[in-house]
Amino acid sequence: MGSLSETSTTDSYCKPPGIRFVEYIKRSPISFRTHQSIVLIVTFLAYTCYHANRKTTSVVKSTLDPASSEVGLKFQSWRRGYLPSPLEARNFSGLLGSDSGWAPFNGSDGTELLADLDVAFLSMYALGMYCSGLLGDRTNLRILLTVGMIGTGLFTSLFGVAYWANIHKFYYFLIVQMVAGLFQSTGWPSVVAVVGNWFGKSKRGLIMGIWNAHTSVGNIVGSLIASAMLSYGWGWSFVVPGLIIAFMGVVVFLFLPVSPESVGADKDDDLNPPKKVGEEVTDPLLSADSEHKEQAVGFIQAWKIPGVAPFAFCLFFAKLVAYTFLYWLPYYLSHTAIDGEYLSSETAGDLSTLFDVGGVIGGILAGHISDRLNARAITAACFMYCAIPALFLYRCYGYVSLPVNITLMFITGIFVNGPYALITTAVSADLGTHASLKGNSRALATVTAIIDGTGSIGAALGPLLTGYISTESWGAVFWMLMGAALIAGLLLTRLIVAEVAAKIEESRARRSSVPAVEV
């Protein structure tokens, strides 16, 4: 009778098909540690694919719109320098180096049209993020993520299909980008919620800082793939990443365990110690046999969680800066003379990856420092303030030489992406398991979506403004970015004061607890 009950419990779990197959081959259950490893690897690869697809547009911009010398620093023709002459002679074919570019982006308003595509994508992404968060806390995250990845792959590929179908209607590209933005919005709330379900708070900043490298790795991979495919036709720069993310969506469906409860993982594992007495919700893994069924947290209720609004608005300005670099850095590099020379589209795309390499380091540093200090707001604000002089130096001295440009770009990536990575990962997971929720884990996706969705509005605004402002002056663009970084830091002032006060109180309590030495 006991074995029958045990079988019934096991059958109630919703294990992914791939997990079942592996356990069938092993003839034994997968350990808790192995499940955690699978979660980290699968979600890392999944979001790497999301960002690889998102990055392609920025690399292809210079091919679609080979703008004249009026853009950038207004030096002489940008086609000289590193561009070999055979490429310049190619006719209207859409290939790299085409003098004519690709209609409708090769006209005098090409830069503005590309900016419109960016804002259309990111606006739908931000709108979809709020919906995906609410949906994620009410549905199976594995299915939601799978649908999002396959849909993203389809519509990214459709953008590239225009190359072979000879499509030149702006509204075709606009609609494709908007739908792609909706599908992409399913990614972030889903992966953060899944990782938050499997990992406690004590080392969450470091773990998620390392894990969040997928953002920069995805940008790097996307840049390299898009740059490599340009020589075969810009359409391949979209189709190849689209096929990769669709394939990875199938992998997610087969192998991603959403939570320990969903697969019957043993939460008494010695690698998952219980939380300390009096500690805030450090372990979001709730008991499977709880007395009541958890209710998903509402949208307004999630906004009222202490810290959600300040971090959400801080991320608005942080992502404005980060996404301006994401979408416009390759274009800026190819239209700005470095040591008197102009880079080709491929070289600019490859070089821009060093900003993301700095972002990987920044994300890990921000996560580790915030864990050690137990001060997320102080860490995020300090990084944002340091980003201001980094942006200033990059703009003023990045043109001196390639090594100087690379060094300053790397440093800028550290300070720009560090707080962005921290807020969208560890901070979101912390707030999604806040003490005010009384252990309810059904808020992770909603809180993550609110914070990142608000940030994504800034991410849409930055590239849009850059598309218009850059036609007049790149210097004005950098002043806009420095102002945004300053505001992002200032928005955390109240939380910084609270963290400092908590540190002082903690220090006093520690001193008072030390027994006096009798003479």
Side-chain angles (χ1 to χ4, degrees):
M1 195 69 181
S3 61
L4 180 62
S5 175
E6 189 175 322
T7 302
S8 175
T9 302
T10 304
D11 289 341
S12 68
Y13 300 139
C14 185
K15 293 185 178 181
I19 298 292
R20 293 183 199 168
F21 179 75
V22 171
E23 290 184 339
Y24 175 79
I25 297 298
K26 286 183 59 182
R27 298 187 182 278
S28 65
I30 293 177
S31 68
F32 190 87
R33 178 195 281 271
T34 303
H35 274 107
Q36 286 183 313
S37 299
I38 291 173
V39 167
L40 287 178
I41 293 171
V42 172
T43 54
F44 184 95
L45 293 176
Y47 215 71
T48 294
C49 292
Y50 272 108
H51 260 266
N53 278 255
R54 204 172 299 171
K55 181 67 175 178
T56 55
T57 306
S58 67
V59 176
V60 179
K61 275 179 178 174
S62 294
T63 300
L64 300 177
D65 174 30
S68 69
S69 58
E70 294 179 1
V71 179
L73 295 180
K74 296 178 170 60
F75 288 116
Q76 58 269 38
S77 176
W78 66 273
R79 292 184 178 84
R80 70 176 183 83
Y82 294 109
L83 282 175
S85 56
L87 288 176
E88 296 182 356
R90 292 187 181 179
N91 57 12
F92 181 75
S93 62
L95 296 179
L96 173 66
S98 168
D99 286 333
S100 301
W102 189 269
F105 307 108
N106 59 346
S108 59
D109 61 344
T111 304
E112 288 84 354
L113 291 177
L114 289 170
D116 290 342
L117 287 186
D118 291 342
V119 76
F121 172 88
L122 291 168
S123 296
M124 297 307 293
Y125 178 82
L127 176 64
M129 184 76 72
Y130 293 122
C131 300
S132 296
L134 294 171
L135 195 60
D137 283 327
R138 292 162 173 78
T139 59
N140 189 316
L141 288 169
R142 178 168 59 91
I143 303 301
L144 179 64
L145 192 56
T146 299
V147 171
M149 294 180 75
I150 293 176
T152 297
L154 172 62
F155 281 89
T156 300
S157 299
L158 285 176
F159 194 104
V161 166
Y163 173 77
W164 295 282
N166 202 29
I167 297 174
H168 299 280
K169 297 292 185 182
F170 174 72
Y171 287 104
Y172 171 84
F173 298 101
L174 184 67
I175 292 171
V176 167
Q177 283 291 80
M178 291 172 69
V179 180
L182 282 176
F183 277 110
Q184 285 227 19
S185 69
T186 61
W188 193 240
S190 300
V191 296
V192 172
V194 171
V195 174
N197 285 337
W198 282 95
F199 293 90
K201 182 181 176 182
S202 61
K203 293 185 178 178
R204 184 179 280 161
L206 177 60
I207 291 172
M208 285 192 153
I210 297 172
W211 172 76
N212 191 66
H214 54 51
T215 298
S216 297
V217 171
N219 292 340
I220 293 169
V221 171
S223 295
L224 295 177
I225 291 176
S227 297
M229 292 296 105
L230 278 176
S231 58
Y232 300 99
W234 63 261
W236 288 111
S237 296
F238 291 91
V239 171
V240 172
L243 293 175
I244 292 173
I245 194 173
F247 171 78
M248 194 61 211
V250 177
V251 174
V252 165
F253 176 78
L254 293 176
F255 290 100
L256 183 64
V258 171
S259 67
E261 293 85 358
S262 70
V263 294
D266 182 9
K267 287 172 283 187
D268 293 327
D269 193 293
D270 58 359
L271 296 170
N272 187 45
K275 60 177 182 273
K276 299 175 184 177
V277 177
E279 191 173 273
E280 282 193 3
V281 185
T282 58
D283 191 350
L285 311 181
L286 306 179
S287 176
D289 54 353
S290 58
E291 294 288 329
H292 64 282
K293 180 177 174 61
E294 293 178 349
Q295 297 295 321
V297 173
F299 185 77
I300 302 300
Q301 184 184 353
W303 267 105
K304 293 179 179 178
I305 296 173
V308 167
F311 274 113
F313 291 121
C314 171
L315 190 63
F316 175 96
F317 291 98
K319 285 192 77 168
L320 185 153
V321 179
Y323 268 65
T324 297
F325 274 87
L326 173 68
Y327 279 93
W328 287 99
L329 183 57
Y331 189 91
Y332 173 74
L333 289 170
S334 65
H335 291 75
T336 301
I338 300 175
D339 195 18
E341 301 289 346
Y342 289 84
L343 303 178
S344 68
S345 296
E346 303 120 306
T347 305
D350 292 341
L351 186 62
S352 69
T353 61
L354 296 173
F355 176 84
D356 295 300
V357 174
V360 173
I361 305 300
I364 295 173
L365 279 176
H368 178 63
I369 293 171
S370 69
D371 278 345
R372 293 294 298 271
L373 297 178
N374 192 24
R376 308 289 198 209
I378 293 174
T379 305
C382 287
F383 269 72
M384 290 310 309
Y385 291 141
C386 290
I388 297 172
L391 287 164
F392 180 79
L393 292 173
Y394 182 63
R395 170 57 184 170
C396 291
Y397 299 102
Y399 73 93
V400 172
S401 68
L402 207 55
V404 171
N405 188 289
I406 290 172
T407 302
L408 294 176
M409 186 194 308
F410 180 82
I411 294 172
T412 304
I414 291 176
F415 292 118
V416 167
N417 283 345
Y420 161 41
L422 178 65
I423 295 171
T424 55
T425 55
V427 169
S428 296
D430 289 351
L431 296 174
T433 53
H434 194 270
S436 64
L437 296 170
K438 297 181 172 58
N440 188 352
S441 66
R442 300 288 299 279
L444 268 169
T446 302
V447 170
T448 300
I450 285 174
I451 293 175
D452 202 45
T454 304
S456 296
I457 298 174
L461 183 63
L464 173 66
L465 293 175
T466 300
Y468 290 92
I469 297 173
S470 64
T471 59
E472 299 298 327
S473 168
W474 277 105
V477 171
F478 276 83
W479 280 112
M480 175 189 74
L481 299 180
M482 286 185 277
L486 175 62
I487 296 172
L490 292 175
L491 284 167
L492 297 179
T493 301
R494 185 172 62 84
L495 296 179
I496 292 172
V497 171
E499 287 182 349
V500 171
K503 292 292 180 186
I504 295 173
E505 185 65 28
E506 181 183 330
S507 177
R508 288 174 179 171
R510 191 181 300 113
R511 285 198 302 268
S512 64
S513 65
V514 177
V517 179
E518 294 185 4
V519 179

